Amino acid sequence: MADYIWKKDSTGKVDERVMRFLAGDDVVLDRELLPFDIRASKAHARGLARIKVLTSEQAAAMVASLDRLDTAFAAGEFVLDGRFEDGHSAIESWLIEDLGEIGGRIHAGRSRNDQVAVALRLYMKDRLQRLGTLCASVAGVCLQRAERESGLPLPGHTHLQQAMPSSLGLWWAGHAEAFIDNLALAQDIGDWLDASPLGTASGFGVNLPLDRDSVAEELGFHRLVVNPQYAQNARGKVELRALDALSAATADLRRLSWDISLFASQEFGFVTVSAAFCTGSSIMPNKQNPDTVELLRALHATVVGARSELESVLSLPSGYQRDLQDTKPPLIRAFARGLDGLSLLPELLGGLEWNPARMRDSISPELHATDRANELVGQGQSFREAYRAAAAELGELSGRTPEASLRERVSPGGCGNLLLDRLHDRLSALISK
Ligand code: ARG
């Protein structure tokens, strides 16, 4: 283990068992944060040069050394492991080893408390951006298929009982709109947490005229977390909101997966999931199971569990408390697993193969009863009267076709008027934001 950065003459003997407990798997989790921590450290070094705490040569040497660390880390030549207490200490150790005394100047005006907070904000901005991109591509596939398959009849269910003729167009467009909403939410939450806590140090500010605004701007933040105490109190609070955005997507994914796994059952027989996403059974030679769909459905449980674990940590007084370290595992675990899963979805959806004949054949004539009632309304009857009349005609609806029913469902958004262009326009506007 490299010397602790907080080691001083008065430091007593450090018990390795205690240190192992304090570190937990922090150093491993910090692998996710290190690239962001390096970026923030470069901006911090440049900021220190602007206020003359570093010479411009010293800052340039630090930035170059941090670039080397970034490259070595990406190439697997620098491994963040138990030699270090955490990623923050590893950066300082690297700089001291690389640059000697100059390296020890990086920590002027900052604390690991604002260092971890800024790395986490950059990490969350990045992951929310990825989440948004994935939601956009899921919505894109759904819209494309909605267009192509808009006229294919599908029995519509409520209470899992057949209700009215519906269409694949309506089904796809419904899931498209959900993921457009989830893209918007990821963007909104990304904007909401787009603030730099760097330069708040341990939570009280420092007696140096730090150029916080320019450092934040260089890092691409839109504003500062102004108050140093709040920079710490917001830890966990912002992580929860980031997980909210993720959980909106995984909740919709859960429902979508449910639909697919029902439709893929032999009883429905509406759809086949591509073999690339299925596995066989170890005992039943006949089986081909849509496991991917099922584990995608289970993703939401991971996210909700992470959210609740994180929230339970936050019963804390103001200021930095080491408890806050425990907000990292649920956040990082949920985003890693969640984005991994979501990234499979566009291809899985693109490869679904429908059985249109089976879908159409399972629409029985009674499903046209609501159409019949509304037809009578069109002829001037009160709806309640028409409802009773249609109920009495249930046996006489066999002359109708699902295709005609879909065509005539002209209310905006309905099967005959899906308004896909509106969904397209909203998606494009959000993508180009
Ligand atoms: N691993 C710590 C965390 O995530 C880093 C900050 C340590 N700060 C401290 N004062 N010990 O919270």
Side-chain angles (χ1 to χ4, degrees):
M1 160 82 76
D3 258 351
Y4 299 116
I5 56 177
W6 40 264
K7 185 166 179 264
K8 48 195 174 283
D9 294 342
S10 57
T11 304
K13 191 173 158 18
V14 181
D15 185 322
E16 286 299 329
R17 266 171 55 238
V18 172
M19 287 314 297
R20 248 200 323 276
F21 171 70
L22 293 182
D25 47 6
D26 206 44
V27 85
V28 176
L29 293 167
D30 279 357
R31 290 176 189 165
E32 298 276 333
L33 301 181
L34 196 71
F36 302 107
D37 202 346
I38 292 172
R39 247 174 76 198
S41 296
K42 283 161 56 180
H44 179 65
R46 292 199 184 97
L48 289 179
R50 281 196 294 277
I51 60 166
K52 312 271 183 258
V53 169
L54 293 178
T55 65
S56 50
E57 291 76 25
Q58 288 170 336
M62 273 186 195
V63 169
S65 174
L66 288 166
D67 279 336
R68 285 194 290 279
L69 173 58
D70 203 23
T71 312
F73 179 67
E77 288 152 16
F78 175 86
V79 180
L80 189 52
D81 56 21
R83 290 173 297 155
F84 306 101
E85 187 182 1
D86 53 32
H88 322 300
S89 319
I91 288 179
E92 188 166 324
S93 301
W94 167 279
L95 285 173
I96 292 173
E97 200 160 299
D98 201 26
L99 306 175
E101 181 267 342
I102 294 173
R105 293 173 179 264
I106 185 70
H107 217 54
R110 80 172 180 189
S111 150
R112 281 182 295 171
N113 297 355
D114 60 337
Q115 207 180 338
V116 63
V118 73
L120 279 164
R121 294 250 186 179
L122 289 169
Y123 164 86
M124 285 183 273
K125 278 179 62 177
D126 177 82
R127 295 309 191 260
L128 288 170
Q129 170 100 39
R130 288 194 203 179
L131 173 63
T133 305
L134 289 173
C135 289
S137 95
V138 170
V141 174
C142 292
L143 277 181
Q144 237 174 41
R145 295 208 66 167
E147 220 149 86
R148 241 191 304 140
E149 296 161 342
S150 63
L152 289 185
L154 173 78
H157 295 81
T158 69
H159 313 265
L160 269 187
Q161 305 288 313
Q162 290 204 351
M164 287 177 67
S166 186
S167 68
L168 271 187
L170 185 127
W171 184 85
W172 279 119
H175 291 298
E177 191 165 4
F179 279 89
I180 295 172
D181 261 355
N182 297 333
L183 160 62
L185 192 63
Q187 288 181 341
D188 286 352
I189 292 176
D191 288 346
W192 177 79
L193 58 76
D194 188 7
S196 173
L198 189 56
T200 56
S202 47
F204 312 97
V206 289
N207 48 346
L208 291 169
L210 295 175
D211 185 7
R212 291 192 62 203
D213 283 313
S214 310
V215 171
E217 201 182 312
E218 179 179 335
L219 286 171
F221 286 109
H222 279 120
R223 60 190 169 85
L224 294 182
V225 181
V226 173
N227 183 280
Q229 173 178 278
Y230 182 61
Q232 290 309 313
N233 291 359
R235 264 193 83 184
K237 175 182 173 181
V238 282
E239 283 82 344
L240 274 179
R241 295 288 85 84
L243 286 181
D244 282 346
L246 180 60
S247 80
T250 53
D252 284 327
L253 174 56
R254 178 172 63 176
R255 198 187 302 266
L256 171 59
S257 307
W258 244 127
D259 285 1
I260 296 171
S261 71
L262 271 182
F263 289 170
S265 70
Q266 281 75 16
E267 283 68 20
F268 277 83
F270 291 171
V271 79
T272 307
V273 177
S274 143
F277 295 99
C278 296
T279 68
S281 156
S282 63
I283 177 170
M284 297 170 281
N286 53 314
K287 293 300 300 285
Q288 172 90 331
N289 301 319
D291 303 44
T292 314
V293 175
E294 293 159 342
L295 281 175
L296 287 175
R297 184 168 57 202
L299 272 185
H300 190 57
T302 303
V303 178
V304 170
R307 213 191 159 287
S308 113
E309 178 181 343
L310 207 160
E311 187 157 42
S312 312
V313 176
L314 297 181
S315 176
L316 297 170
S318 282
Y320 178 78
Q321 326 291 333
R322 188 71 182 261
D323 313 50
L324 289 170
Q325 174 173 298
D326 273 355
T327 59
K328 287 195 300 189
L331 176 78
I332 289 173
R333 186 178 356 104
F335 267 98
R337 183 88 182 143
L339 297 183
D340 248 14
L342 281 165
S343 72
L344 299 177
L345 197 55
E347 204 185 318
L348 187 148
L349 295 176
L352 290 181
E353 276 185 37
W354 300 100
N355 183 345
R358 172 106 178 181
M359 291 172 346
R360 189 184 190 282
D361 290 350
S362 61
I363 295 175
S364 64
E366 307 84 66
L367 267 65
H368 296 287
T370 310
D371 285 347
R372 175 64 186 146
N374 279 316
E375 235 168 59
L376 295 171
V377 165
Q379 293 164 17
Q381 281 194 23
S382 89
F383 181 79
R384 199 46 60 209
E385 223 180 307
Y387 174 94
R388 281 190 288 265
E393 287 176 25
L394 286 186
E396 298 154 39
L397 299 169
S398 53
R400 294 166 178 262
T401 67
E403 285 76 9
S405 167
L406 299 185
R407 245 191 338 269
E408 284 156 23
R409 203 84 53 71
V410 292
S411 60
C415 292
N417 186 14
L418 290 170
L419 299 183
L420 295 181
D421 47 344
R422 287 203 201 175
L423 296 179
H424 261 301
D425 290 351
R426 180 161 172 240
L427 177 59
S428 309
L430 289 169
I431 289 174
S432 55
K433 221 167 120 179

